[in-house]
Amino acid sequence: MKRCVIHFGMFKTGSSSIQHSFAEQLGDQHWHYLKLGSPNHGGAFSRLFAEDLSARRHVIFESDLQGLEAKKLKLKKRLAKQLSGTAENFLASAEWFSSNAFKPAHVAQLQHLFLDYVDQVEAVGYIRSPKAYMESAFQETLKHGAKGQLNFAKLYPRYRERIEKFDQVLGKDKVRVWKFDPSTFYNGCVVQEFCRQLQIDFPVADIKRINESLSYEATAFLYTYRAYGPGFGEGIAAIAENKLLIARLAQLKGRKLRFSWSAVSPVLEANRDDIHWIEERVGVSLDENEPESPDAVKSPEDLLRYSPESLVWLAEQLGDASLVSDGVRITPKKVAVWLHKLRLKLAQEAGLAVMAADGKRSRLTVSTLAGLVKQASPTLQNLSDADTDLLLSEAFKHIIGRIDTDNNVLVEGLGVFKTSEKGDKKTAKKITFHIKKT
């Protein structure tokens, strides 16, 4: 019997470690991890079920707004090719599956899609205790560009809304929900525990452990940047720049982010029925016997106070110790300016296009393009910058050579370059690129 398992990972439940461990390594006659361009399948499936890509917060290219149905068809063909394979089990994984954006109708569509190739569709996932989830969710929303706002009620996970849709569509007996508690996991490892639960034979040596948590101090900086900085930006360059900034902030060690019980308790009380529902569904208590931390966050203002050590660290990243010299008044707006300077500095060092003071981006170069490609394709990370530049340069030289002799250049797997004469000048050409194949 062939089956497809949907892994709906909530924030900070080891999903990234599971996805990156399986992305290139899990593929034999027993298990096949779907290959959809990224270890995290959220982007692929959100596009598949999208009705209007202009509603997406960060549209990468203008072409993303065109030919949506053609893109969906291409993705379906890619899925069909893999699901028609000889593996007994297929695995799809995305935090997006547990989000409120993934509706019951989407679960039904996904089930219908999979059942054309497999006999059974199941869903599995981990959930965190409410306070721990709220702390993690706050960090994740900041990473993805949310403005500097702290609303404890909106961070509550709403378990029933996230989980019951799978029960209703797939059947409760086809849905397994586990509490995320590393102290109870096999060897304390979420990937090994996940493999044990699903009977996946996977080498321990191939496990990739990814910790995406930010310290309290790093979270305070990111909150400040979102509240007082210029914003996330738009397009693939902005995505790459923000990833670089967050990766650098992740190097700032410090305390764990903790919310105050005085701020969280009213939210938990208001959602007591929902907590009771998920506890019955999981079969264990979600009580968090955690003492109040003296530096727990009670209000947004707590995140706008910075430790001297963290400010020194930020000045070191910018190479200017005078920023935090004695007598210098440090405000959140000033910290946001420093963080934006760090963002631009990291982008320049990585060869990415950066936003200038007038809001316009610098001209795209081969090195810039190479940097963007490597940011978007983890499998190319081991390729040197020089080799990546050379590969792209040679590829476009060949395309340009074809454009000189042919008005429509089809590059299989990429798209079509179309040329047209500009005005009466026979030697001048306008070149347009269309991702959709013809």
Side-chain angles (χ1 to χ4, degrees):
M1 181 179 70
K2 296 181 68 172
R3 64 171 176 164
C4 188
V5 178
I6 302 168
H7 171 224
F8 53 89
M10 292 179 72
F11 289 144
K12 295 297 187 299
T13 58
S15 297
S16 294
S17 295
I18 291 170
Q19 292 160 1
H20 285 267
S21 295
F22 292 161
E24 299 298 330
Q25 305 295 333
L26 186 61
D28 55 30
Q29 72 272 24
H30 299 297
W31 282 92
H32 174 80
Y33 189 80
L34 294 176
K35 293 175 171 53
L36 303 176
S38 171
N40 187 327
H41 297 148
F45 283 107
S46 64
R47 169 170 288 187
L48 182 63
F49 296 123
E51 295 179 0
D52 179 12
L53 274 183
S54 63
R56 292 166 67 102
R57 192 174 186 282
H58 303 303
V59 176
I60 294 177
F61 295 116
E62 184 178 349
S63 57
D64 278 342
L65 303 179
Q66 305 166 1
L68 177 57
E69 291 307 315
K71 293 177 175 67
K72 290 182 179 181
L73 180 60
K74 182 177 179 180
L75 178 56
K76 287 181 179 179
K77 287 181 177 179
R78 189 171 185 177
L79 279 167
K81 183 177 180 180
Q82 295 180 60
L83 294 169
S84 299
T86 58
E88 300 167 4
N89 304 282
F90 299 88
L91 180 61
S93 175
E95 290 89 337
W96 185 70
F97 291 142
S98 73
S99 74
N100 298 321
F102 189 60
K103 307 295 184 182
H106 295 146
V107 181
Q109 291 178 53
L110 191 58
Q111 180 192 40
H112 180 74
L113 174 65
F114 286 152
L115 286 178
D116 284 340
Y117 306 95
V118 302
D119 304 298
Q120 184 169 296
V121 179
E122 302 175 7
V124 300
Y126 291 98
I127 58 99
R128 293 191 70 136
S129 298
K131 181 171 175 289
Y133 173 86
M134 292 165 67
E135 292 159 351
S136 297
F138 178 61
Q139 290 189 16
E140 290 301 312
T141 57
L142 290 177
K143 288 179 183 179
H144 289 90
K147 296 294 185 182
Q149 298 175 345
L150 177 56
N151 186 316
F152 294 105
K154 287 186 177 181
L155 291 171
Y156 177 77
R158 299 193 297 278
Y159 296 107
R160 191 164 190 166
E161 186 175 340
R162 295 172 183 271
I163 306 300
E164 195 171 40
K165 59 192 175 189
F166 293 103
D167 292 343
Q168 293 171 343
V169 176
L170 304 180
K172 194 172 180 180
D173 61 318
K174 301 294 190 303
V175 183
R176 285 182 282 173
V177 188
W178 308 302
K179 179 182 178 181
F180 183 78
D181 183 0
S183 68
T184 67
F185 290 168
Y186 185 74
N187 289 334
C189 173
V190 66
V191 180
Q192 292 184 63
E193 177 66 16
F194 188 82
C195 289
R196 187 185 70 81
Q197 292 283 2
L198 294 181
Q199 297 182 333
I200 299 174
D201 184 13
F202 192 75
V204 175
D206 290 338
I207 292 176
K208 297 179 180 178
R209 295 175 174 83
I210 298 176
N211 182 2
E212 297 179 327
S213 295
L214 298 177
S215 66
Y216 178 107
E217 290 79 2
T219 304
F221 278 156
L222 189 56
Y223 175 83
T224 301
Y225 184 59
R226 298 301 188 217
Y228 294 94
F232 188 97
E234 295 292 337
I236 194 170
I239 294 173
E241 291 166 12
N242 275 276
K243 283 185 176 180
L244 288 171
L245 177 62
I246 292 166
R248 182 58 61 90
L249 288 175
Q251 297 177 16
L252 175 56
K253 304 304 178 184
R255 300 159 288 171
K256 285 187 177 183
L257 174 69
R258 289 288 182 261
F259 288 162
S260 169
W261 281 110
S262 63
V264 172
S265 293
V267 177
L268 303 187
E269 180 61 26
N271 292 279
R272 182 172 49 187
D273 290 344
D274 187 56
I275 295 173
H276 179 67
W277 181 89
I278 192 63
E279 287 180 329
E280 286 193 335
R281 186 68 181 78
V282 179
V284 296
S285 171
L286 296 185
D287 284 346
E288 298 167 275
N289 298 317
E290 177 187 285
E292 179 78 340
S293 172
D295 51 12
V297 175
K298 300 181 182 67
S299 67
E301 288 71 29
D302 291 332
L303 293 165
L304 299 177
R305 291 188 281 268
Y306 320 102
S307 70
E309 294 80 8
S310 65
L311 291 171
V312 169
W313 177 90
L314 181 56
E316 290 174 347
Q317 306 309 301
L318 293 169
D320 187 354
S322 66
L323 293 175
V324 291
S325 57
D326 292 341
V328 175
R329 183 171 178 267
I330 297 174
T331 64
K333 287 185 178 180
K334 186 172 292 186
V335 170
V337 170
W338 295 344
L339 287 164
H340 192 60
K341 288 182 178 179
L342 178 58
R343 168 178 170 169
L344 300 184
K345 176 176 179 284
L346 295 172
Q348 289 173 330
E349 290 173 352
L352 302 180
V354 298
M355 185 180 292
D358 60 3
K360 296 181 179 179
R361 294 196 176 277
S362 60
R363 185 179 297 275
L364 190 66
T365 66
V366 170
S367 294
T368 299
L369 182 60
L372 295 174
V373 169
K374 293 180 75 172
Q375 282 287 326
S377 305
T379 56
L380 298 179
Q381 293 299 321
N382 293 329
L383 195 63
S384 71
D385 291 342
D387 287 342
T388 307
D389 289 359
L390 181 60
L391 176 63
L392 290 175
S393 296
E394 291 300 317
F396 281 107
K397 283 179 184 177
H398 285 286
I399 291 172
I400 291 170
R402 291 289 300 275
I403 288 175
D404 288 340
T405 58
D406 191 349
N407 287 337
N408 292 288
V409 179
L410 170 64
V411 181
E412 291 288 350
L414 182 61
V416 179
F417 292 83
K418 293 186 176 182
T419 60
S420 58
E421 294 178 354
K422 292 181 65 176
D424 296 329
K425 296 181 179 180
K426 302 296 183 183
T427 57
K429 290 184 176 181
K430 178 182 179 182
I431 301 173
T432 57
F433 173 64
H434 303 267
I435 294 179
K436 180 180 178 182
K437 296 181 183 180
T438 59

